[in-house]
Amino acid sequence: RDSEKRRFGVGKDDITYQLSRLGFERKDAGLLFTDLERGRARAFVDMMANLESFGGQRAKDVESIRKLDRETRLSADRRIAAKIDRYSESDKRKNDVAFEAAFERRSKAVQRIATRSPDLASILAVNSETLEKVQESLGPRDQMVYFLPYRIEDHLKRLIIRKKTVSFEKLGTTGLKFERALQRLQDAVVDPDNPNQKRLANELGDLLEIKSLAAAENNYVIASGAVHLVPWGALEVDNPVLVLPTGSWITHQRPADAPAGQADSVVIVGDPDYGGKLPQLPGARAEAKEVSALYKAQAIVGRAATEDKVRKAVGNGTKILHLATHGKFNTHDPLQSRIILSGPAGISELTASDL
């Protein structure tokens, strides 16, 4: 399916790939960032459109946005052709204007949907901020590591976004070499007694040139393709690595800024009782308790960490949902990725689709 192939930004027509390639070659950081974020927004809408819960008017609203997304993609195709085929500056400008107009029509359609279904509109909007806004939200020693879509024969590329600067980096490894190294590490992790795990993790870290992450206080990673599967916690990175679905998420209120006394808007879950089906996670329990102390909230741990208890705690929505438990990532159908909670049979699996 197109939604599965696109994987947050790359579809069968490769629009985001082509736009990002052009933006990287021209070192146009602002335009490149915007194209990448919009590609992720289109992919998210396609993925959500497959949910069975979208019926009736909601299904019609989703389809109307998908139709506008197809118009936007056609405009993007013309925009790519204009840049590649060396159109005149006036023709390039006309295509840019047409592309922006198509995206504006989409924004207005989402606003109309918001009048009757605010929750659906918030999903369809997938608001993307400007590069400048994202930079404003970064701390003075933070950096965002934004990986570009790639093909296996390409060298991996990424943007390093800091508060005042943006760097364009082309890594020494190709997509194929990186994915093979990642697979070797994944195969080794399956065997807990494999003596090569650390060596393979170091090899993967070298390919990703993780030494550049050492100077940052916080590293916000925006993944692409198989970079989504990198086990950052297994690599030699001392500073925090936080993987975000889009760059614009950094503009949301940061946990350190959360006002005291708002425990009712925070749900923290850690180390459910797995009934012997999976290893317990004492570190996750300690993590949950530390985070709950920051927000003056009560962590849900052990046998209490059931789906019913978590749903009751979340209610109609929560400002922060912190989960420290086992999970399973489905690369082919992301909405079937799941977290593991306590259940009558030992464990209960809660999918992204369920949420």
Side-chain angles (χ1 to χ4, degrees):
R1 291 180 302 179
D2 190 42
S3 58
E4 292 174 355
K5 293 177 181 178
R6 190 171 288 113
R7 304 276 182 85
F8 283 93
V10 183
K12 62 184 179 183
D13 46 9
D14 288 335
I15 289 175
T16 305
Y17 170 80
Q18 295 290 357
L19 289 174
S20 66
R21 184 176 64 82
L22 289 167
F24 191 90
E25 289 175 356
R26 289 168 169 74
K27 300 296 186 287
D28 189 335
L31 183 58
L32 174 56
F33 182 84
T34 297
D35 287 336
L36 289 169
E37 291 287 281
R38 287 176 175 177
R40 288 170 180 267
R42 290 193 298 270
F44 188 80
V45 170
D46 274 359
M47 185 176 70
M48 296 301 292
N50 290 316
L51 284 179
E52 294 179 0
S53 58
F54 283 151
Q57 182 58 48
R58 290 166 68 87
K60 293 178 181 177
D61 287 337
V62 171
E63 183 53 38
S64 70
I65 294 299
R66 296 185 80 185
K67 182 179 179 181
L68 287 168
D69 282 340
R70 287 192 288 272
E71 293 179 11
T72 304
R73 286 195 285 271
L74 286 174
S75 295
D77 275 337
R78 298 188 188 101
R79 184 176 166 210
I80 293 170
K83 294 180 183 298
I84 293 177
D85 295 337
R86 302 184 184 282
Y87 283 31
S88 67
E89 288 302 319
S90 62
D91 285 340
K92 288 181 183 179
R93 180 57 186 160
K94 288 178 182 178
N95 281 288
D96 286 344
V97 170
F99 179 80
E100 294 298 331
F103 204 84
E104 180 64 21
R105 287 195 294 274
R106 183 192 193 281
S107 299
K108 290 182 177 179
V110 171
Q111 291 173 10
R112 290 193 295 271
I113 293 171
T115 62
R116 57 179 175 271
S117 184
D119 59 332
L120 177 61
S122 67
I123 293 173
L124 296 175
V126 195
N127 295 324
S128 58
E129 298 289 353
T130 64
L131 175 61
E132 290 76 14
K133 181 69 174 178
V134 168
Q135 288 180 291
E136 289 175 6
S137 301
L138 288 171
R141 293 186 57 209
D142 294 343
Q143 68 180 11
M144 180 174 290
V145 185
Y146 206 128
F147 285 87
L148 273 61
Y150 66 89
R151 294 172 177 166
I152 58 172
E153 68 271 17
D154 294 339
H155 283 259
L156 295 189
K157 301 181 183 71
R158 64 192 182 192
L159 290 179
I160 302 296
I161 302 171
R162 301 185 183 89
K163 199 166 187 67
K164 300 291 186 181
T165 63
V166 179
S167 302
F168 296 76
E169 291 189 353
K170 180 179 179 180
L171 305 189
T173 185
T174 63
L176 179 60
K177 189 175 181 180
F178 155 69
E179 292 189 10
R180 284 178 173 173
L182 177 62
Q183 186 62 58
R184 287 195 295 271
L185 177 59
Q186 290 175 331
D187 292 341
V189 169
V190 174
D191 178 7
D193 297 322
N194 191 315
N196 297 315
Q197 290 180 357
K198 186 172 183 179
R199 175 180 63 78
L200 293 171
N202 289 339
E203 287 179 3
L204 182 64
D206 289 341
L207 291 177
L208 291 171
E209 301 180 20
I210 60 172
K211 290 183 179 179
S212 65
L213 308 185
E217 184 173 337
N218 295 293
N219 292 282
Y220 298 97
V221 171
I222 316 300
S224 182
V227 180
H228 283 104
L229 306 179
V230 171
W232 296 99
L235 306 185
E236 294 289 340
V237 183
D238 294 329
N239 297 336
V241 175
L242 302 93
V243 181
L244 303 180
T246 70
S248 299
W249 274 53
I250 194 64
T251 63
H252 298 179
Q253 186 174 6
R254 301 170 68 180
D257 299 327
Q262 289 200 2
D264 58 334
S265 66
V266 179
V267 178
I268 301 162
V269 181
D271 189 29
D273 187 332
Y274 304 115
K277 300 291 183 65
L278 291 170
Q280 292 300 137
L281 301 171
R285 182 177 294 236
E287 172 188 323
K289 290 183 176 180
E290 288 183 17
V291 174
S292 65
L294 293 175
Y295 290 98
K296 298 181 174 60
Q298 182 66 43
I300 304 174
V301 299
R303 292 184 180 180
T306 63
E307 180 179 341
D308 287 343
K309 185 69 177 286
V310 172
R311 284 188 178 277
K312 183 177 179 181
V314 171
N316 293 324
T318 183
K319 185 176 181 181
I320 294 173
L321 174 59
H322 182 95
L323 300 167
T325 180
H326 288 293
K328 299 177 182 178
F329 178 55
N330 189 317
T331 58
H332 297 292
D333 189 352
L335 286 177
Q336 291 306 307
S337 299
R338 57 202 63 209
I339 58 171
I340 311 301
L341 299 172
S342 298
I347 62 173
S348 173
E349 298 187 346
L350 183 63
T351 68
S353 175
D354 294 333
L355 294 173

